[in-house]
Amino acid sequence: MTDTPGASGALYVIGGAEDKLKRRTVLRHFVAACGGKQARIAVIPTASSLGPEIIEVYTALFERLGAASTTGVRPESREDANDERFVSRLDDVTGIFMTGGNQLKLSAVINGTAFGDAIREAHRRGVTIGGTSAGASVQSSHMVAFGAGGATPKQRMTQLASGLGLVRDCVIDQHFAQRNRYGRLLMLIAQSPDLLGIGVDEDTAAIITDHEVEVIGRGAVTIIDGREVISNAHAATRTRPLLVSGAQLHVLPAGSKFDLKSRALIPTPWKPDPAEVEELEVAADGLRRLARDIAAEGVSPTNFRRRRARSTSADREDGSP
């Protein structure tokens, strides 16, 4: 659940490697949520090892997608994060975007500072908060600090640190399917069954508003509910594989919705992809032509040619190629 039900801004939890060149579905959706042409977005690249170019990339992207303005705000130390010169720059924004990089650095610099408080306050007053990769993980109350990938949950596979707590009672992981992080999320849920595990694929976003998740993008969001889990996490030693039984798994592609409070899927009507609809229309037209040709079998060549000529003429009149 988000920090203040009913009043908070939307959270964009992006699994990393979001498309920046073609459709830019996730980033386009984020800019629209920030206000579109009135959007004023602060980019926080504290986690990144890149220099000013990371701000330049997102400035160009967001402004190309219609944002009114983008500014970089980069506290590099806890001293910076308590400096009013950094904190005040979040006062009048409509969106905040945290880049990828080292999530432990991001957490260590801003958590428990005036800057971290300013992000939470912005969220409470309705500002849209987004983050990719490290900027996704830090939004949860409990954050993956670091750890190995792999499908099998093992003891000591990863470690937790505290996040900003914009989404409570959960732990978020990113690059989920692409870096095979099922095992480490299962390990965390086996050790802390009260937490909800959320894994977000690349070029995919979990949009969280109050206690509802909506999925957009190319991949899926995986949610692991451990309330009924049976595990030997308390007894397993060193890096041994863990017993994990009874965890409930939800894999949610684009268009799916999930209730974090009830921990249940929200039924949604199926909506076809516009591109698929166009392909089906082309295929249907081809089938109609084929049906006409089949129906013409058995007629004289002269009548068949006349029928084909009438069909071609009609197609030209309605704009068909």
Side-chain angles (χ1 to χ4, degrees), residues 16-298:
E18 68 279 8
D19 177 21
K20 301 178 181 68
L21 298 175
K22 297 180 181 178
R23 293 188 179 183
R24 295 169 288 191
T25 301
V26 172
L27 295 179
R28 190 182 303 277
H29 206 287
F30 172 74
V31 171
C34 292
K37 293 181 179 180
Q38 285 74 47
R40 302 181 303 279
I41 302 172
V43 175
I44 301 173
T46 300
S48 179
S49 60
L50 299 176
E53 61 268 25
I54 188 67
I55 298 174
E56 293 169 4
V57 166
Y58 280 105
T59 296
L61 277 167
F62 291 150
E63 294 186 0
R64 188 173 299 170
L65 290 171
S69 66
T70 307
T71 182
V73 187
R74 189 172 201 160
E76 289 283 6
S77 66
R78 294 185 67 80
E79 182 180 5
D80 288 345
N82 281 307
D83 190 323
E84 181 61 23
R85 291 177 299 173
F86 289 89
V87 175
S88 62
R89 294 171 71 181
L90 302 183
D91 287 347
D92 63 349
V93 298
T94 62
I96 293 173
F97 187 87
M98 295 174 283
T99 72
N102 185 331
Q103 59 251 42
L104 190 55
K105 177 187 176 185
L106 179 60
S107 173
V109 169
I110 68 174
N111 256 341
T113 68
F115 192 81
D117 291 342
I119 295 175
R120 284 187 282 266
E121 173 56 33
H123 176 237
R124 281 191 289 269
R125 69 173 184 265
V127 171
T128 299
I129 310 290
T132 183
S133 190
S137 287
V138 80
Q139 294 183 50
S140 55
S141 52
H142 300 70
M143 183 190 79
V144 176
F146 51 83
T152 302
K154 297 178 181 180
Q155 194 73 295
R156 302 181 184 178
M157 200 171 188
T158 187
Q159 287 186 286
L160 283 177
S162 63
L164 284 169
L166 302 175
V167 192
R168 301 192 303 272
D169 304 322
C170 78
V171 56
I172 292 170
D173 209 349
Q174 15 78 8
H175 302 284
F176 192 67
Q178 290 73 19
R179 299 187 185 178
N180 195 9
R181 289 177 167 172
Y182 293 90
R184 73 185 200 180
L185 194 58
L186 275 168
M187 187 217 81
L188 292 170
I189 298 309
Q191 292 182 347
S192 303
D194 58 318
L195 298 179
L196 197 63
I198 302 176
V200 188
D201 290 352
E202 293 178 353
D203 194 27
T204 306
I207 305 171
I208 303 174
T209 307
D210 191 6
H211 53 85
E212 183 176 299
V213 177
E214 179 180 0
V215 181
I216 64 169
R218 182 166 52 90
V221 172
T222 300
I223 295 180
I224 302 174
D225 181 358
R227 288 178 300 180
E228 304 297 327
V229 76
I230 298 171
S231 175
N232 67 342
H234 64 283
T237 58
R238 299 182 180 178
T239 58
R240 293 185 183 278
L242 296 180
L243 165 69
V244 182
S245 177
Q248 189 170 15
L249 180 71
H250 307 266
V251 180
L252 312 174
S256 303
K257 293 184 178 181
F258 189 86
D259 191 312
L260 295 176
K261 185 180 290 184
S262 64
R263 298 192 174 192
L265 182 70
I266 300 172
T268 53
W270 178 77
K271 293 181 181 180
D273 186 300
E276 292 181 358
V277 171
E278 185 177 351
E279 289 177 6
L280 287 172
E281 289 175 349
V282 171
D285 183 62
L287 287 172
R288 284 192 293 269
R289 291 170 182 268
L290 179 61
R292 288 198 298 266
D293 291 347
I294 291 172
E297 287 186 1

